[in-house]
Amino acid sequence: MAVVELNNVAKRYPGSGSKGAAANAVDDFNLITRDGEFIVLVGPSGCGKSTTMRMIAGLEANTGGEIRINGRDVSQVAARDRDIAMVFQSYALYPHMTVFDNMAFALKLKKYPGEDIQKRVKEAAEVLGITALLDRKPRALSGGQRQRVALGRAIVRSPQVFLMDEPLSNLDAMLRVDMRAEIIKLHRKLKVTTFYVTHDQTEAMTMGERIVVMKDGRIQQIDTPNTLYHCPANLFVAGFIGTPSMNFLKMTLGQHGMMLTGPTARLLASPERQDLSNHRGQTLWAGIRPEHLRPTDADDCAALLTGEVDVVEPLGAVTMVQMTVDGHRITAQLDGDTRVSIGDTLTLTCDSDQLHLFDTETELALPRTHAMSTTTV
Amino acid sequence: MEPKRSIGLAVVGWLVALIMFFPILWMILTAFKTEQTAFSMTPQFIFSPTLDSFRTALDQGAGYWHYALNSAITSVISTLIGLALAIPAAYAMAFFPSKRTDFTLVWMVSTKFIPAVGVLIPIFLVYKSLGLLDTDAGLIMLFAAMNLPIMVWMVYSYFKDIPRDIVEAADIDGAGTLQTMVQVILPLALPGLASTGLLALIFAWNEAFWSLTMVDHNAATLAPFIASFKSAEGLFWAKMSAASVLTVTPIIVLGWFAQRQMVRGLTFGAVK
Ligand SMILES: Nc1ncnc2c1ncn2[C@@H]1O[C@H](COP(=O)(O)OP(=O)(O)O)[C@@H](O)[C@H]1O
Ligand SMILES: [Mg+2]
């Protein structure tokens, strides 16, 4: 168990210098975990998640900042001496060793006594339900079984920190959901500080105690899943977290700092938002989640988005509808029994406290007086 | 049309194989002839075989076993030295590549572009002053150096085949460089290492240029043994063929037994 501390950590790969400062694969990464915390790193492919993990593991040297594990600066500590276990996306099992030997490898290197190794491997195998596979070679295992062996190899060591780099992305969808739950269960039991990388925001939301959202090597926001959903710090996080993605419209804030207007759309900002008075007359990005839109037939609402429906996807419990409003693609998640068809003109509305506003220039969220917010940028 | 074409292909295949095999067949046949029959202008396929040439050949010079032993010592030891040098070199290049790795690989192989005779005089003089002429040690060094570029290149490509993740997993599991090498990399690359070793062994065993130039009697291998049958007068084809058969048989038998290993090693993906 451990507290991991990353201060201003940066990584520049050799040969990427010509592109200037933006060529840093990871930049200005700051995070202090709690002991036993489950941290998820999420972001689009190439945003620096693996690089961050590899720096914590010691497979890659950080070119800036410092990494501390339980207060000790590990920059000069080799990967094998950091007492960290890693689960690779490819599983990286030793193909020439049996499952037992794969799991026992690290223990043997540490010269644990034979019975102790037997006991630990058996225990870990039991927890993961792979006792029957101990004599097999990885070649003779299914993807899901290999995944379990990879986890087993990590847990037998009782390391200070677990690192998991997209461990589930090679599994099929059903198995992924099962393993997700299993990893969380395992974490509750072992309480080892864990870094978990995924590019899948659903996985991040369901697993993370805190989620680090990254883009282009930089942290966009570190928060609990709930806060990320309700108070995204910027346009990127707002669009990345939540499925389907948040809808965005470019609109102008009226002179009273309340009404947002586009060519045809109208939206009402929450009356409690005094902070908006500074932005009167400005063009802003307005964001609304699909699940917060609902149809209305009256003209009496202050918030109105009207357009022609061009996609209808009835999913049973809900019906997904897409239309174009003022040139912006709008997705709405409506009740399953809503009657709409393609070509219909539909008017949607939403509550003003579900409205997110972003500066068009900085793309930062205009801060909301939301009690939950503990936003870091 | 399909069967016809494959029959045609088979015929062509057999023909090519026969043309390639014919010299070897002729050598074997000649080895069992008398010098007179061997020399006859009309090729003779039917004759009464004799082991006379073999008997003479075995006693030629210092005797077959003197040369065979030198060949065995120089090719086996040069191969082991070659592997001992190629493995760490390939390890560094495969798992810790630098900007110059590609260049180094190409440069190493480019040393093979120089004809051996181009460096004969300097090497001869160096060997002379170091007292390495006509020694097994001298030949061993030459063979190892001669095979090293191709060995590094081959081992490098087998190491490249091992997923990097696996090496990193061993690192994180607490294995040092030597432990990773011995417990993870070498077992995974074993088929490849075997074929590299076999190839080096064959090259060294069959080497003729240096064996004929740097060696007189003590360290003479089977190549000078065969060459020693050539004489200005008298008939020698049958004896020379017998000596050649005695020379190639061990390596062909070895190659034949190792063939399965070799094929496995040459087919990439043995690891995955
Ligand atoms: N070994 C490397 N050498 C040079 N650039 C690299 C290397 N590994 C990753 N990168 C670059 O660093 C950035 C971050 O990569 P990575 O951490 O693998 O992203 P992620 O895991 O989030 O998909 C990418 O732009 C990638 O091209
Ligand atoms: Mg990655």
Short mmCIF file of all heavy atoms in Angstrom, two decimals, chain A residues 208-252:
data_model
loop_
_atom_site.label_atom_id
_atom_site.label_comp_id
_atom_site.label_asym_id
_atom_site.label_seq_id
_atom_site.Cartn_x
_atom_site.Cartn_y
_atom_site.Cartn_z
N GLY A 208 -13.51 4.09 -11.48
CA GLY A 208 -12.62 5.01 -10.79
C GLY A 208 -13.19 5.59 -9.51
O GLY A 208 -14.36 5.95 -9.45
N GLU A 209 -12.35 5.66 -8.46
CA GLU A 209 -12.72 6.49 -7.32
C GLU A 209 -12.48 7.94 -7.71
O GLU A 209 -13.30 8.81 -7.44
CB GLU A 209 -11.87 6.12 -6.10
CG GLU A 209 -12.27 4.78 -5.51
CD GLU A 209 -11.35 4.36 -4.39
OE1 GLU A 209 -10.86 5.22 -3.63
OE2 GLU A 209 -11.10 3.14 -4.27
N ARG A 210 -11.30 8.16 -8.31
CA ARG A 210 -11.06 9.45 -8.95
C ARG A 210 -10.58 9.18 -10.36
O ARG A 210 -9.90 8.19 -10.61
CB ARG A 210 -9.99 10.24 -8.19
CG ARG A 210 -10.61 11.11 -7.10
CD ARG A 210 -9.64 12.15 -6.63
NE ARG A 210 -8.40 11.57 -6.12
CZ ARG A 210 -7.30 12.30 -5.92
NH1 ARG A 210 -7.29 13.59 -6.21
NH2 ARG A 210 -6.22 11.73 -5.44
N ILE A 211 -10.96 10.06 -11.26
CA ILE A 211 -10.61 9.89 -12.67
C ILE A 211 -9.74 11.05 -13.11
O ILE A 211 -10.03 12.21 -12.79
CB ILE A 211 -11.89 9.83 -13.53
CG1 ILE A 211 -12.75 8.64 -13.11
CG2 ILE A 211 -11.55 9.75 -15.01
CD1 ILE A 211 -14.08 8.57 -13.81
N VAL A 212 -8.66 10.72 -13.80
CA VAL A 212 -7.80 11.74 -14.40
C VAL A 212 -8.12 11.77 -15.88
O VAL A 212 -7.88 10.79 -16.58
CB VAL A 212 -6.31 11.40 -14.20
CG1 VAL A 212 -5.42 12.47 -14.81
CG2 VAL A 212 -6.00 11.17 -12.73
N VAL A 213 -8.68 12.87 -16.34
CA VAL A 213 -8.97 12.98 -17.77
C VAL A 213 -7.80 13.69 -18.43
O VAL A 213 -7.39 14.77 -18.00
CB VAL A 213 -10.27 13.77 -18.03
CG1 VAL A 213 -10.58 13.79 -19.52
CG2 VAL A 213 -11.42 13.16 -17.25
N MET A 214 -7.23 13.05 -19.47
CA MET A 214 -6.06 13.61 -20.14
C MET A 214 -6.34 13.89 -21.59
O MET A 214 -7.19 13.26 -22.22
CB MET A 214 -4.88 12.63 -20.05
CG MET A 214 -4.39 12.38 -18.66
SD MET A 214 -3.01 11.21 -18.68
CE MET A 214 -1.72 12.22 -19.42
N LYS A 215 -5.61 14.86 -22.12
CA LYS A 215 -5.66 15.14 -23.56
C LYS A 215 -4.33 15.76 -23.95
O LYS A 215 -3.85 16.66 -23.25
CB LYS A 215 -6.81 16.10 -23.85
CG LYS A 215 -7.00 16.42 -25.31
CD LYS A 215 -7.93 17.62 -25.44
CE LYS A 215 -7.87 18.18 -26.83
NZ LYS A 215 -8.12 19.64 -26.80
N ASP A 216 -3.75 15.30 -25.03
CA ASP A 216 -2.48 15.84 -25.53
C ASP A 216 -1.42 15.95 -24.44
O ASP A 216 -0.69 16.94 -24.37
CB ASP A 216 -2.70 17.21 -26.17
CG ASP A 216 -3.61 17.15 -27.37
OD1 ASP A 216 -3.71 16.05 -27.95
OD2 ASP A 216 -4.22 18.17 -27.71
N GLY A 217 -1.34 14.95 -23.58
CA GLY A 217 -0.29 14.93 -22.56
C GLY A 217 -0.57 15.76 -21.34
O GLY A 217 0.24 15.82 -20.42
N ARG A 218 -1.72 16.43 -21.31
CA ARG A 218 -2.01 17.29 -20.17
C ARG A 218 -3.26 16.84 -19.44
O ARG A 218 -4.22 16.38 -20.07
CB ARG A 218 -2.20 18.74 -20.63
CG ARG A 218 -0.91 19.38 -21.04
CD ARG A 218 -1.09 20.84 -21.39
NE ARG A 218 0.21 21.47 -21.51
CZ ARG A 218 0.85 22.03 -20.48
NH1 ARG A 218 0.30 22.07 -19.27
NH2 ARG A 218 2.04 22.56 -20.66
N ILE A 219 -3.23 17.02 -18.13
CA ILE A 219 -4.42 16.70 -17.34
C ILE A 219 -5.48 17.76 -17.60
O ILE A 219 -5.20 18.95 -17.55
CB ILE A 219 -4.07 16.67 -15.83
CG1 ILE A 219 -3.10 15.54 -15.55
CG2 ILE A 219 -5.33 16.52 -15.00
CD1 ILE A 219 -2.67 15.47 -14.10
N GLN A 220 -6.69 17.32 -17.90
CA GLN A 220 -7.80 18.24 -18.11
C GLN A 220 -8.58 18.43 -16.81
O GLN A 220 -9.05 19.53 -16.51
CB GLN A 220 -8.74 17.70 -19.19
CG GLN A 220 -8.05 17.41 -20.50
CD GLN A 220 -7.51 18.66 -21.15
OE1 GLN A 220 -8.24 19.62 -21.35
NE2 GLN A 220 -6.22 18.67 -21.45
N GLN A 221 -8.72 17.36 -16.05
CA GLN A 221 -9.49 17.43 -14.82
C GLN A 221 -9.25 16.17 -14.01
O GLN A 221 -9.10 15.09 -14.58
CB GLN A 221 -10.99 17.54 -15.15
CG GLN A 221 -11.87 17.83 -13.95
CD GLN A 221 -13.31 18.18 -14.35
OE1 GLN A 221 -13.65 18.17 -15.54
NE2 GLN A 221 -14.12 18.48 -13.37
N ILE A 222 -9.17 16.32 -12.70
CA ILE A 222 -9.11 15.16 -11.81
C ILE A 222 -10.28 15.27 -10.85
O ILE A 222 -10.36 16.24 -10.10
CB ILE A 222 -7.80 15.12 -10.99
CG1 ILE A 222 -6.59 15.19 -11.91
CG2 ILE A 222 -7.75 13.85 -10.14
CD1 ILE A 222 -5.28 15.22 -11.15
N ASP A 223 -11.17 14.33 -10.90
CA ASP A 223 -12.34 14.41 -10.03
C ASP A 223 -13.02 13.07 -9.89
O ASP A 223 -12.66 12.11 -10.58
CB ASP A 223 -13.35 15.43 -10.60
CG ASP A 223 -13.25 16.77 -9.89
OD1 ASP A 223 -13.21 16.77 -8.64
OD2 ASP A 223 -13.20 17.80 -10.59
N THR A 224 -14.01 13.03 -9.03
CA THR A 224 -14.82 11.82 -8.91
C THR A 224 -15.70 11.72 -10.16
O THR A 224 -15.95 12.73 -10.83
CB THR A 224 -15.74 11.90 -7.69
OG1 THR A 224 -16.60 13.02 -7.87
CG2 THR A 224 -14.95 12.06 -6.40
N PRO A 225 -16.17 10.51 -10.46
CA PRO A 225 -17.03 10.36 -11.64
C PRO A 225 -18.22 11.32 -11.60
O PRO A 225 -18.56 11.95 -12.61
CB PRO A 225 -17.50 8.91 -11.54
CG PRO A 225 -16.44 8.21 -10.77
CD PRO A 225 -15.89 9.22 -9.81
N ASN A 226 -18.80 11.46 -10.43
CA ASN A 226 -19.97 12.32 -10.28
C ASN A 226 -19.67 13.78 -10.64
O ASN A 226 -20.42 14.42 -11.38
CB ASN A 226 -20.44 12.22 -8.82
CG ASN A 226 -21.93 12.43 -8.72
OD1 ASN A 226 -22.55 12.87 -9.68
ND2 ASN A 226 -22.48 12.09 -7.57
N THR A 227 -18.57 14.28 -10.13
CA THR A 227 -18.22 15.67 -10.40
C THR A 227 -17.87 15.87 -11.87
O THR A 227 -18.22 16.88 -12.47
CB THR A 227 -17.04 16.10 -9.51
OG1 THR A 227 -17.31 15.70 -8.18
CG2 THR A 227 -16.82 17.59 -9.58
N LEU A 228 -17.17 14.89 -12.44
CA LEU A 228 -16.84 15.00 -13.87
C LEU A 228 -18.10 15.14 -14.70
O LEU A 228 -18.16 15.90 -15.65
CB LEU A 228 -16.07 13.76 -14.34
CG LEU A 228 -14.61 13.65 -13.98
CD1 LEU A 228 -14.03 12.37 -14.56
CD2 LEU A 228 -13.84 14.85 -14.49
N TYR A 229 -19.10 14.37 -14.31
CA TYR A 229 -20.34 14.37 -15.07
C TYR A 229 -21.08 15.69 -14.89
O TYR A 229 -21.54 16.29 -15.85
CB TYR A 229 -21.21 13.20 -14.61
CG TYR A 229 -22.54 13.10 -15.32
CD1 TYR A 229 -22.63 12.50 -16.57
CD2 TYR A 229 -23.70 13.61 -14.74
CE1 TYR A 229 -23.84 12.41 -17.23
CE2 TYR A 229 -24.91 13.53 -15.40
CZ TYR A 229 -24.99 12.92 -16.64
OH TYR A 229 -26.18 12.83 -17.29
N HIS A 230 -21.16 16.15 -13.65
CA HIS A 230 -21.99 17.32 -13.39
C HIS A 230 -21.25 18.63 -13.60
O HIS A 230 -21.85 19.63 -13.96
CB HIS A 230 -22.55 17.26 -11.96
CG HIS A 230 -23.59 16.21 -11.80
ND1 HIS A 230 -24.84 16.33 -12.35
CD2 HIS A 230 -23.56 15.00 -11.19
CE1 HIS A 230 -25.55 15.24 -12.07
NE2 HIS A 230 -24.79 14.41 -11.37
N CYS A 231 -19.95 18.64 -13.33
CA CYS A 231 -19.19 19.88 -13.45
C CYS A 231 -17.94 19.69 -14.27
O CYS A 231 -16.82 19.81 -13.75
CB CYS A 231 -18.80 20.42 -12.07
SG CYS A 231 -20.20 20.74 -11.04
N PRO A 232 -18.05 19.38 -15.54
CA PRO A 232 -16.84 19.25 -16.37
C PRO A 232 -16.10 20.58 -16.41
O PRO A 232 -16.72 21.64 -16.49
CB PRO A 232 -17.39 18.86 -17.75
CG PRO A 232 -18.81 19.30 -17.75
CD PRO A 232 -19.28 19.22 -16.33
N ALA A 233 -14.78 20.52 -16.31
CA ALA A 233 -13.99 21.73 -16.19
C ALA A 233 -13.85 22.46 -17.52
O ALA A 233 -13.59 23.65 -17.55
CB ALA A 233 -12.60 21.39 -15.65
N ASN A 234 -13.96 21.73 -18.61
CA ASN A 234 -13.81 22.40 -19.91
C ASN A 234 -14.60 21.65 -20.98
O ASN A 234 -15.19 20.59 -20.73
CB ASN A 234 -12.33 22.55 -20.29
CG ASN A 234 -11.63 21.20 -20.38
OD1 ASN A 234 -12.24 20.19 -20.76
ND2 ASN A 234 -10.35 21.18 -20.03
N LEU A 235 -14.55 22.22 -22.16
CA LEU A 235 -15.31 21.69 -23.28
C LEU A 235 -14.94 20.24 -23.58
O LEU A 235 -15.79 19.40 -23.85
CB LEU A 235 -15.01 22.56 -24.51
CG LEU A 235 -16.03 22.60 -25.62
CD1 LEU A 235 -17.35 23.16 -25.11
CD2 LEU A 235 -15.52 23.45 -26.78
N PHE A 236 -13.62 19.94 -23.50
CA PHE A 236 -13.16 18.59 -23.82
C PHE A 236 -13.75 17.56 -22.86
O PHE A 236 -14.30 16.54 -23.28
CB PHE A 236 -11.64 18.51 -23.82
CG PHE A 236 -11.14 17.11 -23.99
CD1 PHE A 236 -11.15 16.51 -25.25
CD2 PHE A 236 -10.73 16.36 -22.90
CE1 PHE A 236 -10.74 15.21 -25.41
CE2 PHE A 236 -10.31 15.06 -23.05
CZ PHE A 236 -10.32 14.48 -24.31
N VAL A 237 -13.62 17.83 -21.56
CA VAL A 237 -14.13 16.89 -20.56
C VAL A 237 -15.64 16.72 -20.73
O VAL A 237 -16.17 15.62 -20.67
CB VAL A 237 -13.78 17.35 -19.13
CG1 VAL A 237 -14.40 16.41 -18.10
CG2 VAL A 237 -12.29 17.44 -18.95
N ALA A 238 -16.32 17.84 -20.97
CA ALA A 238 -17.78 17.78 -21.13
C ALA A 238 -18.15 16.86 -22.28
O ALA A 238 -19.09 16.07 -22.18
CB ALA A 238 -18.32 19.19 -21.37
N GLY A 239 -17.40 16.95 -23.38
CA GLY A 239 -17.72 16.13 -24.53
C GLY A 239 -17.26 14.69 -24.37
O GLY A 239 -17.83 13.78 -24.96
N PHE A 240 -16.21 14.48 -23.57
CA PHE A 240 -15.61 13.15 -23.46
C PHE A 240 -16.36 12.26 -22.48
O PHE A 240 -16.51 11.06 -22.70
CB PHE A 240 -14.15 13.28 -23.04
CG PHE A 240 -13.38 12.00 -23.16
CD1 PHE A 240 -12.94 11.56 -24.40
CD2 PHE A 240 -13.11 11.23 -22.04
CE1 PHE A 240 -12.24 10.38 -24.52
CE2 PHE A 240 -12.40 10.04 -22.16
CZ PHE A 240 -11.97 9.61 -23.40
N ILE A 241 -16.82 12.85 -21.38
CA ILE A 241 -17.49 12.07 -20.33
C ILE A 241 -18.99 12.05 -20.61
O ILE A 241 -19.59 13.09 -20.86
CB ILE A 241 -17.21 12.69 -18.94
CG1 ILE A 241 -15.72 12.65 -18.62
CG2 ILE A 241 -18.03 11.99 -17.87
CD1 ILE A 241 -15.13 11.28 -18.44
N GLY A 242 -19.55 10.87 -20.55
CA GLY A 242 -20.99 10.70 -20.79
C GLY A 242 -21.24 10.17 -22.19
O GLY A 242 -20.59 10.58 -23.15
N THR A 243 -22.16 9.18 -22.28
CA THR A 243 -22.57 8.69 -23.60
C THR A 243 -24.08 8.74 -23.70
O THR A 243 -24.75 8.36 -22.75
CB THR A 243 -22.15 7.22 -23.83
OG1 THR A 243 -22.36 6.51 -22.64
CG2 THR A 243 -20.77 7.08 -24.35
N PRO A 244 -24.64 9.14 -24.81
CA PRO A 244 -23.93 9.84 -25.90
C PRO A 244 -23.36 11.17 -25.42
O PRO A 244 -23.72 11.64 -24.35
CB PRO A 244 -25.03 10.06 -26.94
CG PRO A 244 -26.29 9.54 -26.38
CD PRO A 244 -26.08 9.05 -25.01
N SER A 245 -22.47 11.74 -26.22
CA SER A 245 -21.77 12.96 -25.82
C SER A 245 -22.72 14.14 -25.63
O SER A 245 -23.81 14.18 -26.20
CB SER A 245 -20.76 13.35 -26.89
OG SER A 245 -19.74 12.42 -26.93
N MET A 246 -22.24 15.09 -24.85
CA MET A 246 -22.99 16.32 -24.64
C MET A 246 -23.17 17.06 -25.97
O MET A 246 -22.31 17.01 -26.83
CB MET A 246 -22.21 17.20 -23.65
CG MET A 246 -22.94 18.42 -23.19
SD MET A 246 -21.90 19.45 -22.11
CE MET A 246 -22.05 18.62 -20.55
N ASN A 247 -24.32 17.72 -26.11
CA ASN A 247 -24.56 18.56 -27.29
C ASN A 247 -24.00 19.95 -27.05
O ASN A 247 -24.06 20.47 -25.94
CB ASN A 247 -26.07 18.71 -27.53
CG ASN A 247 -26.73 17.37 -27.78
OD1 ASN A 247 -26.39 16.68 -28.72
ND2 ASN A 247 -27.68 17.02 -26.91
N PHE A 248 -23.44 20.54 -28.09
CA PHE A 248 -22.90 21.90 -27.96
C PHE A 248 -23.51 22.81 -29.02
O PHE A 248 -23.64 22.44 -30.19
CB PHE A 248 -21.38 21.90 -28.14
CG PHE A 248 -20.68 21.11 -27.07
CD1 PHE A 248 -20.11 19.87 -27.36
CD2 PHE A 248 -20.59 21.61 -25.78
CE1 PHE A 248 -19.46 19.15 -26.38
CE2 PHE A 248 -19.94 20.88 -24.79
CZ PHE A 248 -19.38 19.64 -25.09
N LEU A 249 -23.89 24.03 -28.59
CA LEU A 249 -24.38 25.04 -29.52
C LEU A 249 -23.67 26.35 -29.22
O LEU A 249 -23.45 26.71 -28.06
CB LEU A 249 -25.89 25.28 -29.35
CG LEU A 249 -26.83 24.11 -29.61
CD1 LEU A 249 -27.36 23.58 -28.30
CD2 LEU A 249 -27.95 24.54 -30.53
N LYS A 250 -23.32 27.06 -30.29
CA LYS A 250 -22.69 28.37 -30.13
C LYS A 250 -23.82 29.39 -30.01
O LYS A 250 -24.65 29.50 -30.91
CB LYS A 250 -21.83 28.68 -31.35
CG LYS A 250 -20.52 29.32 -30.99
CD LYS A 250 -19.58 29.38 -32.17
CE LYS A 250 -18.15 29.36 -31.68
NZ LYS A 250 -17.18 29.26 -32.75
N MET A 251 -23.86 30.11 -28.89
CA MET A 251 -24.97 31.03 -28.68
C MET A 251 -24.47 32.32 -28.05
O MET A 251 -23.38 32.38 -27.50
CB MET A 251 -26.03 30.39 -27.76
CG MET A 251 -26.54 29.07 -28.32
SD MET A 251 -27.77 28.33 -27.28
CE MET A 251 -29.24 29.06 -27.94
N THR A 252 -25.31 33.35 -28.13
CA THR A 252 -24.92 34.65 -27.60
C THR A 252 -25.72 34.93 -26.34
O THR A 252 -26.93 34.73 -26.30
CB THR A 252 -25.18 35.75 -28.65
OG1 THR A 252 -24.56 35.33 -29.87
CG2 THR A 252 -24.61 37.07 -28.21
#
